[in-house]
Amino acid sequence: MSFCSYYDTQVCHSCSLIDLFYAEQLTEKSAHLHKALEAFSVREWLKPTASQLKGFRNKAKMVVSNSDEGIVLGLSDEVSLISCPLYDISMQTVLEQTQNWLRGLGIKAYDIKKKKGELKYVLLTRSSYNGTMMLRFILRSHGVISRLQGNMEALMALAPDIHVITVNIQPVHMAILEGEEEIFLTEKTRLEEQLNGIPLFIRPKSFFQTNPDIAAKLYKTVAKWVDELEAKSIIDLFCGVGGFALHVASNERNVIGIELEHEAIECAKDSAQLLGIDTLTFKALDAVSFSTETSKAPDVVIVNPPRRGLGQELCKWLERVSPEDILYSSCNAVSLAKDIEWLKSYEIIKVQLFDMFAHTQHYETLVHLKKK
């Protein structure tokens, strides 16, 4: 028996490793990472960074379905997940309050088969810094916005930790989480976060790591490695809200952060302004587009790509500009290995596993690559 009733009753299978002792989980993930990188010589394997076992996730994504009792937040087959132990008690409480509030309003879930109804997803994000939360409703149309907005004060009175409420319109009949249009129902438009004393901001569409404790340790490790390299110029590709760039920034270094999502860049710029570092620049650009315009090599390039990895084009650019060091943060060891294969001018100095996703087969990997 695990500590999760959803898993033990075979309702939810997301945490496929939860019935293993945690040490066994880390052993299994480490073996997977060693297997993925077995074709390369690694000078040093560092000890994996372990996660908390419960309450570590800062974001809940709830599929909305209809039941005889009203809407259900959880899985698409009328199974509630509002008490998932990966969320802390405050998030579980707000999810339950939100579910009950929506039932009271008579809001109907979007029925995929009938193509009827309005509410598709409910997303809840929590700041580990001050406990405030952002609640997002993913709707098919504008039809029930006035009903939500007209009763919003009652929900916020029940759940005062909710500081940001938005509606996102996703009108197409496809498995797409969100649409382009985001409507704020509150004056506040973002959450304040802080990791290792660095101010960060979370907006609805900006990517942020789901395990703040492990993210803080990952950022701190990158900052340590950069200090050891005595780098004076750094490029951070796929920088998101600026986690890596802000941690390595100083008035003695020139740091550029590149991210496609405009919302994330605006958050990063605000953080940089609070830190008062003039040598830190953020640009809302596609990484490939940026690479075609950049030919000068920085001392270090930090990359944190999505699961698909960097791809051949960006790897060719890295080979061409030839920075002395590359710090690669990856959530997919398979695409990581493929990218390293393309980076033929580099050798692996050290590798460290960060267990960002406890109880699942997923993990984050940090690799230091140095020019041969």
Side-chain angles (χ1 to χ4, degrees):
M1 296 286 287
S2 74
F3 58 77
C4 177
S5 61
Y6 295 118
Y7 182 85
D8 292 338
T9 55
Q10 299 185 347
V11 168
C12 177
H13 304 281
S14 298
C15 295
S16 59
L17 304 181
I18 199 170
D19 55 353
L20 296 179
F21 288 115
Y22 187 59
E24 293 180 79
Q25 294 185 32
L26 288 181
T27 298
E28 187 169 311
K29 293 183 182 187
S30 295
H32 183 271
L33 179 57
H34 276 72
K35 179 71 174 177
L37 300 182
E38 66 179 351
F40 311 103
S41 175
V42 178
R43 286 195 195 176
E44 184 180 10
W45 288 92
L46 299 176
K47 182 181 177 181
T49 299
S51 171
Q52 300 172 25
L53 301 186
K54 297 181 182 179
F56 58 83
R57 281 187 65 94
N58 66 347
K59 185 174 183 179
K61 183 183 80 172
M62 296 285 151
V63 179
V64 185
S65 57
N66 294 308
S67 73
D68 293 338
E69 298 178 350
I71 67 147
V72 175
L73 304 185
L75 298 176
S76 55
D77 51 359
E78 301 180 27
V79 175
S80 172
L81 289 181
I82 57 176
S83 299
C84 172
L86 300 190
Y87 316 127
D88 79 350
I89 296 299
S90 67
M91 288 184 70
Q92 294 179 34
T93 300
V94 169
L95 286 170
E96 182 179 13
Q97 291 168 331
T98 301
Q99 179 176 271
N100 292 337
W101 178 74
L102 289 167
R103 287 178 177 181
L105 298 183
I107 303 291
K108 296 294 184 182
Y110 180 70
D111 189 308
I112 296 175
K113 294 180 180 178
K114 298 179 180 178
K115 298 184 180 181
K116 291 183 178 180
E118 285 294 331
L119 187 56
K120 295 184 173 184
Y121 299 96
V122 169
L123 309 181
L124 183 67
T125 304
R126 178 182 181 272
S127 164
S128 65
Y129 168 59
N130 56 21
T132 59
M133 301 188 204
M134 174 167 58
L135 184 64
R136 299 176 69 201
F137 299 106
I138 312 298
L139 300 176
R140 179 180 64 89
S141 73
H142 297 76
V144 297
I145 292 179
S146 59
R147 203 186 315 176
L148 293 172
Q149 194 164 25
N151 294 273
M152 192 175 65
E153 288 186 5
L155 175 61
M156 296 182 78
L158 283 172
D161 287 338
I162 300 176
H163 283 210
V164 181
I165 299 179
T166 80
V167 164
N168 179 276
I169 306 299
Q170 201 286 80
V172 298
H173 184 69
M174 295 175 66
I176 300 174
L177 177 61
E178 60 188 13
E180 292 295 323
E181 185 179 4
E182 193 85 23
I183 303 167
F184 287 91
L185 304 186
T186 53
E187 289 186 11
K188 293 184 177 180
T189 60
R190 64 189 186 185
L191 297 181
E192 296 179 17
E193 182 59 279
Q194 191 174 115
L195 301 180
N196 302 316
I198 302 293
L200 299 164
F201 298 101
I202 308 173
R203 281 177 60 89
K205 293 184 180 180
S206 57
F207 170 78
F208 200 91
Q209 298 284 9
T210 59
N211 188 328
D213 179 61
I214 295 297
K217 293 173 181 175
L218 175 64
Y219 295 151
K220 195 171 185 178
T221 300
V222 167
K224 178 177 178 289
W225 291 7
V226 167
D227 285 344
E228 290 171 350
L229 296 171
E230 299 182 350
K232 297 299 181 184
S233 58
I234 300 169
I235 291 176
D236 179 10
L237 292 182
F238 306 98
C239 70
V241 297
F244 287 120
L246 292 160
H247 275 76
V248 302
S250 74
N251 288 319
E252 290 74 41
R253 287 188 185 127
N254 182 41
V255 181
I256 300 174
I258 303 298
E259 166 65 40
L260 179 61
E261 178 55 57
H262 181 76
E263 274 194 3
I265 287 296
E266 291 305 309
C267 290
K269 287 180 177 178
D270 288 345
S271 296
Q273 187 174 13
L274 283 175
L275 290 175
I277 299 176
D278 298 329
T279 56
L280 179 56
T281 305
F282 290 101
K283 298 180 180 180
L285 290 171
D286 172 69
V288 173
S289 299
F290 171 78
S291 69
T292 59
E293 302 169 2
T294 306
S295 57
K296 185 178 179 181
D299 296 332
V300 175
V301 174
I302 301 170
V303 295
N304 183 28
R307 287 191 61 79
R308 65 178 181 272
L310 292 173
Q312 192 170 10
E313 191 169 353
L314 279 175
C315 288
K316 284 182 176 180
W317 170 73
L318 286 168
E319 283 281 309
R320 188 170 66 253
V321 298
S322 195
E324 189 67 28
D325 297 273
I326 300 170
L327 302 185
Y328 192 139
S329 178
S330 168
C331 60
N332 183 354
V334 175
S335 60
L336 167 66
K338 185 180 292 186
D339 287 340
I340 294 175
E341 178 64 33
W342 282 324
L343 295 169
K344 297 185 182 301
S345 301
Y346 290 83
E347 61 179 333
I348 302 177
I349 302 302
K350 50 191 171 184
V351 177
Q352 187 165 12
L353 187 154
F354 290 80
D355 195 15
M356 193 78 71
F357 316 100
H359 314 307
T360 76
Q361 295 179 338
H362 302 291
Y363 53 87
E364 195 86 8
T365 306
L366 182 62
V367 177
H368 176 196
L369 297 161
K370 180 172 281 291
K371 189 164 59 174
K372 294 177 183 177

